[in-house]
């Protein structure tokens, strides 16, 4: 007997292996098989063996792992994703197997639980804290110490004294069963109406709905009701709630725990390898029923997924930018349609694709048009910097300074928003004009004054800021150009020296838990002025924040990006929504040199739908998404000559297809990265065009070389 085994490698569509007599294998079984001189983990795949290799040459399956098999629905989804994104099936399977997460045999750990305290044991305050934190469930020394706020030594001394009982425990214990009725909050009339619509969607068992609510309307509590309905309907149901940012995930976990009575499983890049192993294993065996995760959580080994909620569905973080260039929101909707379960998309500023699908009736729409409780939407005003420009080497105009001062006098908080990390986006030599760039790249180095380093945010290159210009050798001539959050924070500290000013960006909250600590301080009112990138723009509730200042509202409007206006409106609307979420009314000031731009007009008027309508009309006129389709072909090589040769060859062999155009080749906006040169083609087709088939036929007709890499990006979002 033989089976086809799909390997988690970007090659082939599965290989035939012989099945030893002591094994009985079924599609979905996870196995270990020989591949050359090594053993590789793979999955017995549906469709049967191809029979091309003679029986006598087949290598046998070495091992069958004693874990649940992958579900037929998940394997079907792997096949579909591979076809849609034009990648090998094994490359998609690699996202599921996660380097064999949960397959290795893990030994039990020694933990401690409370027992009767011997009379001779002296109980200090710290020891009492340990005993109070200890319970019937075994905890490791570290876990117990963290729960009690003491060192590991205090725990171990209690154990040695006989006050704690050592026991062996599973390092990957099952997650607690969520209770759909544990912590349900009282909903407003508006929220209850929306929750009823989502419960009906869950009961129907299929379809996609947009939960369209203004910032502060309480969308989270509403879609919690959909989660509860799915968990209540089936005691084995699994639910996934997806968030675009880790900074959103950390405080969100507490809300889920309070609502459903148990900590949810969570999956993102800040989770330890042991934590990821536990989540993967428990999703596979079905005991992890409620999971919160970033985009990669979509490819966990789900057994009985019954609902996906995608919060901030418009966020571009759902689009993977390396490896398999998938869009998690789109794939979640496809998964729900193929497997017959509902998907809820939530946003105050939905993507144009989602808005268009609602208009066509493909998605239902649940509206929350007003904020929860007494809170109302903030007033938005645009400051015309042409009329009131900031002082030289300052970034806040005088009207904004006056408004900030008045807000601080009232004891309220201020958010200064600028989506630029570091101190300055460009460093220029005042003598020769040299712009500091990353080695072998066309990307500018961003100055980070707090660490005195120049950093490339595209390649990750970092270096100390030199004393002399590398080009002309002049000393003390390297000058920052333009503002980043560090520079705005510097100005804020100079203007309001008695106030607490903090920075919130991906550079300042790199350590695990640092984002949570900063957000907790902001929520508690311990920070007066928060200078932040878009990391603070979504999902956060700061009761004392009443003023938001957009330092550069025009940032992101230039460059010819198809989605520039849409993205700028979304992020400015989201950051504006942080103001006035409690009883005090909020105010938003947007500094701009283009006060009459459609984005600014939409924000000041509050007419979001008119802005979206105008954007959709423009897209329709030029046949761009969501009215047409795009695919991008990226060529990259270390040898620029070979790259250009292959680009010209492809350009001269573009096949004719009705309704499909090919533009290019053109240099990528960052033409050179890490010594790699890049050229791009853009394919535009009608809505019904099969761009995958077109691209496959086109690329197959021009023989490539190993020196030039080809990547196809279906539904591209970025063009750098």
């Amino acid at each position: 007997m033989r089976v086809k085994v799909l390997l988690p490698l970007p090659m082939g569509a599965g290989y035939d292996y012989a099945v030893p007599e002591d094994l009985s294998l079924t599609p979905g079984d996870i196995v270990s098989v020989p591949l050359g001189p090594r053993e590789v983990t793979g999955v017995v795949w549906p469709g049967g063996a191809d029979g091309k290799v003679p029986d006598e040459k087949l290598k046998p399956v070495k091992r069958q792992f004693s874990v649940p098999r992958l579900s037929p629905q998940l394997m079907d989804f792997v096949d579909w994703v591979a076809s849609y994104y034009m990648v090998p099936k094994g490359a998609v399977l690699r996202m599921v197997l996660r380097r064999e997460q949960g397959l290795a045999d893990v030994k039990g750990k020694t933990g401690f639980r409370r027992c009767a305290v011997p009379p001779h044991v002296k109980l200090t305050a710290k020891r009492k804290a340990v005993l109070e934190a200890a319970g019937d469930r075994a905890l490791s020394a570290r876990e117990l110490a963290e729960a009690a706020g003491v060192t590991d030594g205090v725990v171990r001394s209690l154990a040695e004294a006989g006050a704690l009982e050592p026991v062996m425990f599973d390092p990957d214990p099952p997650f607690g069963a969520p209770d759909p009725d544990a912590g349900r909050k009282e909903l407003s009339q508006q929220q209850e109406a929306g929750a009823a619509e989502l419960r009906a969607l869950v009961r129907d068992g299929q379809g996609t709905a947009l939960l369209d609510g203004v910032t502060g309307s309480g969308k989270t509590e509403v879609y919690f009701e959909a989660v509860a309905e799915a968990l209540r309907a089936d005691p084995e149901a699994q639910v996934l709630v997806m968030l675009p940012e880790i900074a959103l995930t950390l405080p969100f976990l507490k809300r889920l725990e309070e609502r459903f009575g148990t900590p949810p499983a969570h999956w993102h890049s800040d989770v330890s390898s042991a934590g990821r192993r536990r989540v993967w294993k428990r999703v596979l065996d079905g005991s992890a029923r409620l999971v919160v995760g970033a985009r990669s959580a979509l490819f966990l080994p789900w057994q009985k997924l019954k609902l996906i909620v995608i919060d901030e569905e418009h966020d571009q973080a759902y689009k993977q930018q390396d490896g398999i260039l998938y869009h998690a929101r789109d794939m979640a909707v496809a998964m729900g349609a193929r497997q017959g379960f509902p998907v809820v998309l939530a946003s105050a500023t939905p993507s144009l694709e989602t808005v268009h699908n609602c208009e066509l009736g493909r998605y239902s729409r649940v509206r929350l048009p007003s904020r929860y409780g007494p809170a109302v939407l903030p007033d938005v005003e645009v400051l015309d910097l042409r009329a009131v420009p900031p002082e030289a080497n300052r970034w806040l105009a005088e009207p904004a300074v006056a408004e900030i001062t008045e807000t601080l006098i009232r004891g309220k908080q201020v958010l200064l928003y600028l989506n630029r990390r570091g101190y300055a986006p460009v460093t220029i030599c005042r003598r020769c004009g040299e712009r500091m760039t990353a080695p072998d790249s066309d990307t500018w180095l961003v100055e980070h004054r707090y660490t005195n380093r120049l950093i490339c945010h595209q390649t990750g290159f970092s270096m100390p800021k030199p004393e002399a210009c590398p080009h002309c050798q002049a000393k003390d001539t390297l000058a920052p150009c333009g503002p980043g959050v560090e520079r705005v924070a510097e100005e804020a500290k100079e203007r309001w020296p008695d106030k607490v000013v903090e920075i919130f960006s991906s550079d300042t909250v790199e350590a695990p838990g640092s984002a949570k600590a900063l957000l907790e301080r902001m929520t508690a009112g311990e920070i007066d002025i928060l200078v932040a990138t878009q990391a603070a723009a979504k999902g956060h509730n700061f009761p004392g924040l009443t003023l938001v200042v957009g330092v550069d509202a025009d940032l992101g409007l230039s460059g010819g990006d198809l989605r520039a206006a849409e993205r700028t409106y979304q992020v400015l609307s989201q950051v504006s929504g942080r103001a006035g979420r409690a009883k005090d009314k909020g105010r938003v000031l947007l500094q701009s040199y283009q006060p009459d731009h459609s984005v600014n007009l939409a924000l000041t008027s509050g007419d979001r739908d008119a802005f979206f309508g105008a954007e959709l009309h423009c897209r329709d006129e030029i046949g761009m998404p969501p009215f047409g389709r795009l695919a991008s072909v990226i060529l990259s090589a270390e040898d620029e000559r070979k790259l250009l040769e292959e680009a010209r060859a492809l350009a001269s062999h573009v096949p004719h297809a009705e309704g499909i155009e090919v533009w290019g080749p053109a240099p990528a906006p960052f033409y050179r990265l890490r010594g790699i040169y890049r050229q791009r083609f853009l394919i535009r087709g009608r809505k019904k065009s099969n761009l995958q088939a077109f691209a496959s036929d086109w690329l197959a007709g021009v023989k490539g070389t190993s020196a030039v890499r080809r990547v196809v990006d279906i539904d591209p979002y970025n063009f750098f």
Side-chain angles (χ1 to χ4, degrees), residues 405 408-409 492-501 528-529:
T405 301
L408 294 173
I409 290 173
K493 291 176 181 178
E494 291 175 358
R495 289 186 181 276
W496 301 281
D498 60 331
K499 299 301 179 181
V500 178
V501 180
D528 299 302
I529 302 174

Side-chain angles (χ1 to χ4, degrees), residues 66-374:
S66 299
V67 297
R69 62 176 61 99
L70 299 188
S71 69
Q73 295 84 359
L74 180 59
M75 291 186 288
D76 169 77
F77 184 62
V78 168
D79 286 342
W80 189 86
V81 170
S83 174
Y84 188 84
Y85 286 109
M86 301 177 62
V87 294
K89 294 179 183 180
V92 182
L93 180 63
R94 184 164 56 184
M95 295 196 294
V96 175
L97 288 187
R98 307 285 178 190
R99 297 182 181 176
E100 305 175 19
Q101 288 278 5
L103 297 178
D105 294 326
V106 180
K107 295 180 179 179
K109 288 186 176 181
T110 301
F112 301 96
R113 65 185 177 195
R114 189 168 48 199
C115 62
V117 180
H120 68 275
V121 177
K122 183 178 180 181
L123 295 180
T124 63
K126 290 183 177 179
R127 285 184 166 186
K128 288 180 179 179
V130 172
L131 293 175
E132 289 176 2
D136 295 332
R137 186 173 74 86
L139 297 173
S140 69
R142 176 175 296 181
E143 290 171 334
L144 194 49
E146 289 178 354
V150 300
T151 63
D152 293 9
V154 178
V155 176
R156 298 191 185 283
S157 68
L158 269 177
E160 291 171 0
L164 290 174
E165 179 185 7
V167 292
M168 296 297 292
F169 71 100
D170 185 349
D172 302 320
F175 290 89
D179 180 354
D181 302 306
R184 186 178 187 275
K185 294 184 178 180
E186 184 176 349
L187 303 181
S188 68
Q189 185 176 357
Q190 174 184 271
Q191 287 178 312
E192 182 56 45
E197 292 187 63
L198 294 185
R199 291 191 203 103
L201 177 79
V202 173
R203 286 193 295 269
D204 289 343
Q206 59 184 348
T208 300
L210 168 64
L211 180 56
D212 186 358
V214 299
T215 55
S217 60
K219 293 184 292 296
T220 303
E221 292 299 331
V222 173
Y223 70 64
F224 278 177
E225 292 303 302
V227 173
E229 187 70 17
L231 295 172
R232 191 181 295 117
D234 185 342
E236 295 181 348
Q238 294 176 301
V239 175
L240 169 63
V241 180
M242 294 176 64
L243 300 174
E245 303 283 353
I246 295 172
L248 296 178
T249 305
L250 298 174
F252 185 80
L253 296 173
K254 186 64 177 176
R255 294 186 66 178
L256 268 177
E257 181 178 355
E258 292 172 352
R259 174 61 181 84
F260 295 101
T262 189
H266 54 111
W267 180 274
H268 52 77
S269 59
D270 263 6
V271 177
S272 66
S273 58
R276 292 166 72 88
R277 183 190 67 233
R278 180 190 179 199
V279 173
W280 192 94
K281 180 187 294 186
R282 297 312 175 187
V283 169
L284 180 63
D285 71 15
S287 66
R289 297 187 58 212
L290 181 55
V291 179
V292 179
R295 60 177 178 259
S296 61
L298 187 65
F299 292 93
L300 285 168
W302 301 101
Q303 291 292 341
K304 204 169 184 180
L305 189 57
K306 291 298 182 181
L307 174 68
I308 297 179
V309 177
I310 305 177
D311 206 350
E312 307 293 353
E313 66 86 25
H314 64 277
D315 200 292
Q316 62 180 335
Y318 285 120
K319 173 70 173 181
Q320 177 78 13
Q321 297 299 338
D322 55 23
I324 299 176
L325 307 178
Y326 68 95
H327 197 297
R329 178 200 63 210
D330 297 347
M331 292 303 98
V333 172
M335 178 187 276
R338 295 184 71 81
Q339 299 181 17
F341 62 76
V343 176
V344 175
L345 312 176
S347 178
T349 54
S351 64
L352 290 184
E353 286 82 0
T354 296
V355 170
H356 184 57
N357 279 321
C358 289
E359 292 177 349
L360 293 177
R362 294 171 180 160
Y363 300 170
S364 59
R365 191 194 306 240
V366 179
R367 294 183 182 271
L368 300 177
S370 58
R371 283 188 160 179
Y372 178 78

